Amino acid sequence: MYKHGLRVLTSEDYQDSFYDLGEFCKKHLSLVLYGQFGNPSFPSISDLDVLICLKDSQFSKERKQILNYIEQDSVRKYLFFHDPLIIPESILPDLTFMHTLYGLNLEYNVCNYIPKLQSEEHSNFLNLIWATFLISISPSFFIKGKRSDRDLLLLFKNICQSIDNFSDKYNALKVSSEARENYFNGSLNGADIQDLVANYYSILLDCLDIYDNFNIGGVVFKSRYLVSYNKIIKRNNVNGYRVKGKVISIYLNEKLFCLFESFYNGFSNDLVVSNYISTYKRLMNKFDSLDIDNPFVVPFAFQFYRRDLLFKCLKLVNSFRI
Protein backbone atom coordinates (compact mmCIF):
# COMPACT_ATOMS: atom_id res chain seq x y z
CA MET A 1 0.00 0.00 0.00
CA TYR A 2 1.21 3.51 -0.84
CA LYS A 3 0.38 6.90 0.68
CA HIS A 4 1.44 10.17 -0.97
CA GLY A 5 3.87 8.17 -3.09
CA LEU A 6 5.45 6.47 -0.07
CA ARG A 7 5.27 2.76 0.64
CA VAL A 8 3.42 2.31 3.95
CA LEU A 9 5.73 0.31 6.22
CA THR A 10 6.19 -0.28 9.95
CA SER A 11 9.21 -0.54 12.23
CA GLU A 12 8.67 -4.32 12.12
CA ASP A 13 9.20 -4.28 8.33
CA TYR A 14 12.61 -2.70 8.91
CA GLN A 15 13.50 -5.19 11.63
CA ASP A 16 12.36 -8.14 9.49
CA SER A 17 14.38 -6.99 6.48
CA PHE A 18 17.46 -6.47 8.64
CA TYR A 19 17.01 -9.92 10.21
CA ASP A 20 16.34 -11.70 6.89
CA LEU A 21 19.41 -10.19 5.22
CA GLY A 22 21.53 -11.16 8.21
CA GLU A 23 20.28 -14.76 8.08
CA PHE A 24 21.03 -14.93 4.35
CA CYS A 25 24.58 -13.67 4.93
CA LYS A 26 25.18 -16.11 7.79
CA LYS A 27 23.93 -19.12 5.86
CA HIS A 28 25.42 -18.48 2.43
CA LEU A 29 28.43 -16.17 2.78
CA SER A 30 31.73 -15.86 4.65
CA LEU A 31 30.27 -13.32 7.07
CA VAL A 32 32.59 -11.60 9.55
CA LEU A 33 30.47 -8.69 10.81
CA TYR A 34 26.83 -7.71 10.52
CA GLY A 35 25.22 -4.69 12.12
CA GLN A 36 23.11 -1.58 11.75
CA PHE A 37 23.98 2.09 12.13
CA GLY A 38 22.06 5.32 11.71
CA ASN A 39 18.49 5.76 12.90
CA PRO A 40 15.50 4.69 10.73
CA SER A 41 13.22 6.90 12.80
CA PHE A 42 10.36 7.34 10.33
CA PRO A 43 9.07 4.14 8.67
CA SER A 44 8.09 4.57 5.01
CA ILE A 45 10.61 7.40 4.54
CA SER A 46 13.78 6.31 6.35
CA ASP A 47 16.25 4.01 4.67
CA LEU A 48 18.17 1.13 6.23
CA ASP A 49 21.89 1.55 6.98
CA VAL A 50 23.64 -1.80 7.33
CA LEU A 51 27.31 -2.74 7.74
CA ILE A 52 28.41 -6.07 6.27
CA CYS A 53 31.98 -7.34 6.46
CA LEU A 54 33.04 -10.39 4.44
CA LYS A 55 36.21 -12.44 4.05
CA ASP A 56 38.45 -11.16 1.27
CA SER A 57 38.75 -14.46 -0.59
CA GLN A 58 35.25 -14.44 -2.15
CA PHE A 59 34.43 -10.80 -1.56
CA SER A 60 33.49 -9.60 -5.05
CA LYS A 61 31.28 -12.64 -5.73
CA GLU A 62 29.57 -12.52 -2.33
CA ARG A 63 28.98 -8.77 -2.55
CA LYS A 64 27.03 -9.36 -5.78
CA GLN A 65 25.02 -12.09 -4.06
CA ILE A 66 23.98 -9.61 -1.36
CA LEU A 67 22.89 -6.99 -3.89
CA ASN A 68 20.97 -9.62 -5.89
CA TYR A 69 19.24 -10.80 -2.71
CA ILE A 70 18.12 -7.24 -1.94
CA GLU A 71 16.79 -6.78 -5.48
CA GLN A 72 14.64 -9.91 -5.25
CA ASP A 73 12.25 -8.45 -2.67
CA SER A 74 10.31 -5.22 -3.20
CA VAL A 75 10.34 -4.22 0.49
CA ARG A 76 14.09 -4.78 0.84
CA LYS A 77 14.69 -2.90 -2.40
CA TYR A 78 12.66 0.05 -1.09
CA LEU A 79 14.37 0.13 2.29
CA PHE A 80 17.88 0.03 0.85
CA PHE A 81 17.85 3.47 -0.75
CA HIS A 82 21.59 2.92 -1.20
CA ASP A 83 23.65 -0.27 -0.99
CA PRO A 84 24.67 -1.60 2.41
CA LEU A 85 28.19 -0.65 3.50
CA ILE A 86 29.89 -3.87 2.36
CA ILE A 87 33.61 -4.12 3.14
CA PRO A 88 36.34 -6.78 3.05
CA GLU A 89 37.83 -7.92 6.36
CA SER A 90 41.29 -6.61 5.46
CA ILE A 91 40.16 -2.96 5.75
CA LEU A 92 38.58 -3.28 9.22
CA PRO A 93 41.52 -1.43 10.83
CA ASP A 94 40.71 1.58 8.62
CA LEU A 95 36.92 1.46 8.93
CA THR A 96 36.36 4.14 11.57
CA PHE A 97 39.04 6.30 9.96
CA MET A 98 36.80 6.54 6.88
CA HIS A 99 33.30 6.37 8.38
CA THR A 100 31.73 7.68 11.59
CA LEU A 101 29.31 4.71 11.90
CA TYR A 102 27.14 6.69 14.32
CA GLY A 103 24.94 4.41 16.43
CA LEU A 104 26.57 1.19 15.21
CA ASN A 105 25.04 -1.96 16.73
CA LEU A 106 26.79 -5.19 15.76
CA GLU A 107 24.35 -8.11 15.70
CA TYR A 108 26.99 -10.60 14.45
CA ASN A 109 30.67 -10.25 15.33
CA VAL A 110 32.58 -13.47 14.73
CA CYS A 111 35.99 -11.75 14.98
CA ASN A 112 35.17 -9.85 18.20
CA TYR A 113 35.80 -6.57 16.40
CA ILE A 114 35.77 -3.47 18.62
CA PRO A 115 35.35 -0.21 16.65
CA LYS A 116 38.33 2.07 17.22
CA LEU A 117 37.28 5.46 18.56
CA GLN A 118 38.77 8.33 16.58
CA SER A 119 39.83 11.65 18.02
CA GLU A 120 37.30 14.46 18.17
CA GLU A 121 39.42 16.27 15.57
CA HIS A 122 39.11 13.39 13.11
CA SER A 123 35.39 12.90 13.79
CA ASN A 124 34.86 16.59 13.03
CA PHE A 125 36.89 16.14 9.87
CA LEU A 126 34.68 13.23 8.75
CA ASN A 127 31.62 15.41 9.40
CA LEU A 128 33.24 18.04 7.18
CA ILE A 129 33.89 15.45 4.44
CA TRP A 130 30.22 14.43 4.60
CA ALA A 131 29.17 18.08 4.33
CA THR A 132 31.35 18.60 1.25
CA PHE A 133 29.68 15.59 -0.34
CA LEU A 134 26.24 17.05 0.40
CA ILE A 135 27.01 20.54 -0.88
CA SER A 136 28.23 19.01 -4.13
CA ILE A 137 25.31 16.63 -4.82
CA SER A 138 22.40 18.70 -3.50
CA PRO A 139 21.97 21.21 -6.37
CA SER A 140 21.18 18.38 -8.78
CA PHE A 141 18.08 17.72 -6.64
CA PHE A 142 16.83 21.23 -7.40
CA ILE A 143 16.34 20.45 -11.09
CA LYS A 144 12.56 19.99 -11.23
CA GLY A 145 11.16 16.53 -11.82
CA LYS A 146 14.50 14.78 -11.42
CA ARG A 147 13.96 13.36 -7.92
CA SER A 148 11.08 11.80 -6.02
CA ASP A 149 9.67 13.39 -2.88
CA ARG A 150 11.19 10.58 -0.80
CA ASP A 151 14.60 11.36 -2.33
CA LEU A 152 14.16 14.98 -1.25
CA LEU A 153 13.09 14.01 2.27
CA LEU A 154 16.11 11.72 2.66
CA LEU A 155 18.42 14.44 1.39
CA PHE A 156 16.76 16.95 3.72
CA LYS A 157 17.42 14.70 6.74
CA ASN A 158 21.09 14.43 5.78
CA ILE A 159 21.43 18.19 5.28
CA CYS A 160 19.78 18.80 8.66
CA GLN A 161 22.05 16.26 10.36
CA SER A 162 25.07 17.96 8.83
CA ILE A 163 23.87 21.39 10.01
CA ASP A 164 23.43 20.01 13.54
CA ASN A 165 26.99 18.67 13.38
CA PHE A 166 28.19 22.26 13.07
CA SER A 167 25.58 24.24 14.99
CA ASP A 168 22.59 23.35 17.17
CA LYS A 169 20.98 26.79 16.98
CA TYR A 170 18.81 25.86 13.97
CA ASN A 171 17.19 22.74 15.55
CA ALA A 172 17.55 21.33 12.05
CA LEU A 173 16.84 17.67 12.86
CA LYS A 174 13.63 18.69 14.60
CA VAL A 175 12.58 20.57 11.46
CA SER A 176 13.36 17.48 9.36
CA SER A 177 11.29 15.24 11.65
CA GLU A 178 8.34 17.65 11.51
CA ALA A 179 8.60 17.87 7.72
CA ARG A 180 8.41 14.07 7.40
CA GLU A 181 5.39 13.91 9.66
CA ASN A 182 3.62 16.74 7.82
CA TYR A 183 4.37 15.27 4.39
CA PHE A 184 3.10 11.84 5.42
CA ASN A 185 -0.08 13.45 6.78
CA GLY A 186 -0.61 15.44 3.60
CA SER A 187 -0.03 18.95 4.99
CA LEU A 188 3.21 19.40 2.99
CA ASN A 189 3.65 18.63 -0.70
CA GLY A 190 6.66 18.01 -2.90
CA ALA A 191 7.10 21.69 -3.76
CA ASP A 192 7.15 22.54 -0.05
CA ILE A 193 9.84 19.94 0.59
CA GLN A 194 11.90 21.23 -2.34
CA ASP A 195 11.75 24.75 -0.84
CA LEU A 196 12.82 23.42 2.56
CA VAL A 197 15.76 21.55 1.02
CA ALA A 198 16.90 24.68 -0.84
CA ASN A 199 16.58 26.87 2.27
CA TYR A 200 18.46 24.51 4.56
CA TYR A 201 21.07 23.83 1.91
CA SER A 202 21.80 27.56 2.04
CA ILE A 203 22.03 27.32 5.84
CA LEU A 204 24.57 24.50 5.50
CA LEU A 205 26.62 26.66 3.14
CA ASP A 206 26.50 29.46 5.71
CA CYS A 207 27.62 27.08 8.48
CA LEU A 208 30.59 26.05 6.38
CA ASP A 209 31.40 29.69 5.63
CA ILE A 210 32.10 30.34 9.31
CA TYR A 211 33.37 26.86 10.24
CA ASP A 212 36.96 27.36 11.34
CA ASN A 213 38.06 24.03 12.82
CA PHE A 214 40.44 23.25 10.01
CA ASN A 215 43.43 25.14 8.67
CA ILE A 216 43.99 24.30 5.03
CA GLY A 217 46.49 26.56 3.31
CA GLY A 218 48.80 26.44 0.36
CA VAL A 219 48.99 27.59 -3.23
CA VAL A 220 45.76 27.88 -5.21
CA PHE A 221 46.47 26.39 -8.63
CA LYS A 222 43.30 27.40 -10.47
CA SER A 223 40.15 29.38 -9.81
CA ARG A 224 37.70 26.74 -11.07
CA TYR A 225 37.50 23.08 -12.05
CA LEU A 226 35.12 21.13 -14.25
CA VAL A 227 34.57 17.95 -12.23
CA SER A 228 31.88 16.38 -14.41
CA TYR A 229 30.18 17.20 -17.68
CA ASN A 230 27.78 19.63 -15.96
CA LYS A 231 29.38 20.55 -12.61
CA ILE A 232 31.92 23.31 -11.99
CA ILE A 233 33.69 24.02 -8.69
CA LYS A 234 34.61 27.72 -8.41
CA ARG A 235 36.65 29.76 -5.95
CA ASN A 236 34.67 32.59 -4.37
CA ASN A 237 34.58 34.89 -1.34
CA VAL A 238 31.63 32.99 0.16
CA ASN A 239 29.96 29.62 -0.42
CA GLY A 240 27.05 29.45 -2.83
CA TYR A 241 25.65 27.74 -5.88
CA ARG A 242 23.86 28.35 -9.17
CA VAL A 243 21.80 26.04 -11.35
CA LYS A 244 21.47 27.27 -14.94
CA GLY A 245 19.67 24.76 -17.11
CA LYS A 246 21.52 21.55 -16.33
CA VAL A 247 24.83 23.22 -15.49
CA ILE A 248 25.63 23.38 -11.76
CA SER A 249 28.17 25.81 -10.33
CA ILE A 250 29.37 25.31 -6.73
CA TYR A 251 31.09 28.35 -5.19
CA LEU A 252 33.54 27.68 -2.34
CA ASN A 253 35.27 30.06 0.01
CA GLU A 254 39.07 30.19 0.18
CA LYS A 255 39.51 27.42 2.76
CA LEU A 256 37.01 25.00 1.24
CA PHE A 257 38.40 25.61 -2.23
CA CYS A 258 41.90 24.82 -0.96
CA LEU A 259 40.51 21.66 0.65
CA PHE A 260 38.90 20.67 -2.65
CA GLU A 261 42.18 21.28 -4.49
CA SER A 262 44.00 19.08 -1.99
CA PHE A 263 41.75 16.20 -2.98
CA TYR A 264 41.73 17.03 -6.68
CA ASN A 265 45.53 17.08 -6.82
CA GLY A 266 45.99 14.26 -4.30
CA PHE A 267 48.28 15.95 -1.77
CA SER A 268 48.15 18.38 1.14
CA ASN A 269 50.50 20.05 3.63
CA ASP A 270 47.91 19.55 6.38
CA LEU A 271 48.55 16.37 8.40
CA VAL A 272 44.88 15.40 8.88
CA VAL A 273 44.08 15.85 5.20
CA SER A 274 47.30 14.19 4.09
CA ASN A 275 46.62 11.11 6.25
CA TYR A 276 43.10 10.88 4.87
CA ILE A 277 44.33 11.12 1.27
CA SER A 278 47.05 8.48 1.75
CA THR A 279 44.58 6.10 3.42
CA TYR A 280 42.03 6.73 0.67
CA LYS A 281 44.60 5.94 -2.03
CA ARG A 282 45.71 2.75 -0.29
CA LEU A 283 42.11 1.57 0.08
CA MET A 284 41.31 2.43 -3.54
CA ASN A 285 44.15 0.13 -4.61
CA LYS A 286 42.57 -2.59 -2.46
CA PHE A 287 39.14 -1.99 -4.02
CA ASP A 288 40.67 -2.08 -7.49
CA SER A 289 42.19 -5.48 -6.72
CA LEU A 290 38.74 -6.73 -5.65
CA ASP A 291 37.06 -5.10 -8.67
CA ILE A 292 34.59 -3.05 -6.61
CA ASP A 293 33.73 0.63 -6.26
CA ASN A 294 34.74 2.69 -3.27
CA PRO A 295 32.00 2.12 -0.61
CA PHE A 296 32.74 5.30 1.36
CA VAL A 297 31.56 8.88 0.94
CA VAL A 298 33.65 10.76 -1.61
CA PRO A 299 34.80 14.30 -0.68
CA PHE A 300 32.98 16.91 -2.80
CA ALA A 301 31.35 13.93 -4.60
CA PHE A 302 34.55 13.69 -6.63
CA GLN A 303 36.44 10.40 -6.73
CA PHE A 304 39.83 12.03 -6.80
CA TYR A 305 42.01 8.93 -7.04
CA ARG A 306 41.76 6.27 -9.68
CA ARG A 307 44.61 4.60 -11.53
CA ASP A 308 42.79 3.74 -14.76
CA LEU A 309 43.72 5.57 -17.94
CA LEU A 310 40.13 6.66 -18.68
CA PHE A 311 39.89 8.64 -15.43
CA LYS A 312 43.25 10.30 -16.03
CA CYS A 313 42.21 11.24 -19.56
CA LEU A 314 38.91 12.69 -18.33
CA LYS A 315 40.74 14.88 -15.80
CA LEU A 316 43.08 16.06 -18.54
CA VAL A 317 40.25 16.79 -20.99
CA ASN A 318 38.22 18.63 -18.34
CA SER A 319 41.21 20.79 -17.46
CA PHE A 320 41.20 22.14 -21.05
CA ARG A 321 37.43 22.56 -21.29
CA ILE A 322 37.28 25.38 -18.77
Side-chain angles (χ1 to χ4, degrees):
M1 184 172 68
Y2 284 81
K3 181 179 180 181
H4 305 304
L6 301 172
R7 186 159 189 159
V8 178
L9 299 170
T10 66
S11 296
E12 287 72 26
D13 292 316
Y14 284 71
Q15 294 167 7
D16 290 346
S17 290
F18 175 71
Y19 174 82
D20 290 345
L21 178 58
E23 290 301 299
F24 171 80
C25 292
K26 292 173 193 175
K27 290 178 182 177
H28 302 286
L29 311 176
S30 57
L31 186 63
V32 177
L33 289 178
Y34 185 74
Q36 185 177 351
F37 58 97
N39 179 23
S41 57
F42 201 105
S44 298
I45 296 177
S46 297
D47 57 354
L48 196 54
D49 292 318
V50 172
L51 167 66
I52 303 173
C53 179
L54 305 168
K55 293 282 187 182
D56 285 47
S57 58
Q58 299 292 320
F59 182 82
S60 183
K61 174 185 174 182
E62 292 185 348
R63 178 179 177 274
K64 291 176 183 176
Q65 288 178 256
I66 292 170
L67 299 181
N68 287 338
Y69 179 76
I70 290 172
E71 285 290 319
Q72 290 167 8
D73 181 83
S74 60
V75 173
R76 283 196 297 267
K77 187 176 178 181
Y78 182 88
L79 293 182
F80 283 98
F81 179 73
H82 55 79
D83 294 345
L85 177 59
I86 310 173
I87 62 166
E89 185 179 19
S90 58
I91 75 160
L92 271 181
D94 299 301
L95 178 57
T96 57
F97 189 82
M98 301 297 293
H99 199 298
T100 55
L101 293 172
Y102 289 136
L104 175 64
N105 179 28
L106 290 173
E107 186 269 337
Y108 183 82
N109 189 359
V110 70
C111 66
N112 295 317
Y113 169 75
I114 299 175
K116 179 183 176 182
L117 294 178
Q118 296 294 328
S119 66
E120 183 178 357
E121 179 186 28
H122 190 73
S123 295
N124 289 337
F125 180 70
L126 289 180
N127 288 335
L128 176 63
I129 293 297
W130 176 240
T132 68
F133 174 79
L134 289 175
I135 64 175
S136 187
I137 68 165
S138 296
S140 67
F141 283 66
F142 305 150
I143 300 172
K144 291 188 182 297
K146 192 170 183 180
R147 305 286 182 170
S148 71
D149 291 345
R150 184 186 181 220
D151 292 346
L152 288 168
L153 287 163
L154 288 167
L155 174 65
F156 187 47
K157 167 73 178 293
N158 281 304
I159 289 174
C160 288
Q161 177 66 72
S162 196
I163 290 171
D164 273 8
N165 288 341
F166 297 114
S167 173
D168 58 6
K169 73 176 185 179
Y170 298 100
N171 291 315
L173 279 176
K174 181 182 178 183
V175 175
S176 171
S177 179
E178 290 172 349
R180 291 181 172 203
E181 185 74 40
N182 291 334
Y183 181 86
F184 196 73
N185 292 334
S187 55
L188 280 182
N189 59 33
D192 297 325
I193 298 300
Q194 185 130 6
D195 288 342
L196 276 172
V197 173
N199 290 338
Y200 276 76
Y201 175 72
S202 295
I203 291 174
L204 178 58
L205 290 174
D206 291 342
C207 288
L208 290 174
D209 252 338
I210 61 175
Y211 181 71
D212 205 31
N213 283 15
F214 67 103
N215 185 27
I216 309 300
V219 178
V220 174
F221 293 93
K222 296 171 64 175
S223 62
R224 54 185 183 169
Y225 289 86
L226 183 68
V227 294
S228 68
Y229 77 96
N230 72 330
K231 186 183 296 180
I232 306 169
I233 303 288
K234 297 183 179 181
R235 181 186 180 190
N236 198 42
N237 292 329
V238 296
N239 299 327
Y241 75 101
R242 184 181 71 170
V243 178
K244 187 176 181 180
K246 293 186 178 180
V247 178
I248 298 167
S249 297
I250 309 291
Y251 301 97
L252 301 178
N253 66 25
E254 181 78 18
K255 282 192 175 182
L256 279 180
F257 191 81
C258 286
L259 180 62
F260 166 77
E261 277 204 327
S262 295
F263 290 120
Y264 188 92
N265 295 310
F267 63 88
S268 173
N269 294 326
D270 181 88
L271 183 60
V272 173
V273 182
S274 178
N275 286 342
Y276 184 89
I277 290 173
S278 62
T279 302
Y280 184 104
K281 288 181 177 180
R282 175 167 52 80
L283 293 180
M284 281 300 298
N285 290 333
K286 166 62 72 173
F287 301 143
D288 285 347
S289 70
L290 294 171
D291 192 28
I292 61 169
D293 294 329
N294 170 29
F296 299 113
V297 165
V298 182
F300 297 97
F302 178 71
Q303 188 166 301
F304 60 89
Y305 178 73
R306 276 169 39 190
R307 294 185 301 170
D308 58 283
L309 182 61
L310 174 61
F311 180 70
K312 293 177 180 179
C313 289
L314 285 173
K315 282 186 69 172
L316 181 63
V317 169
N318 285 343
S319 69
F320 287 106
R321 286 178 58 199
I322 191 167

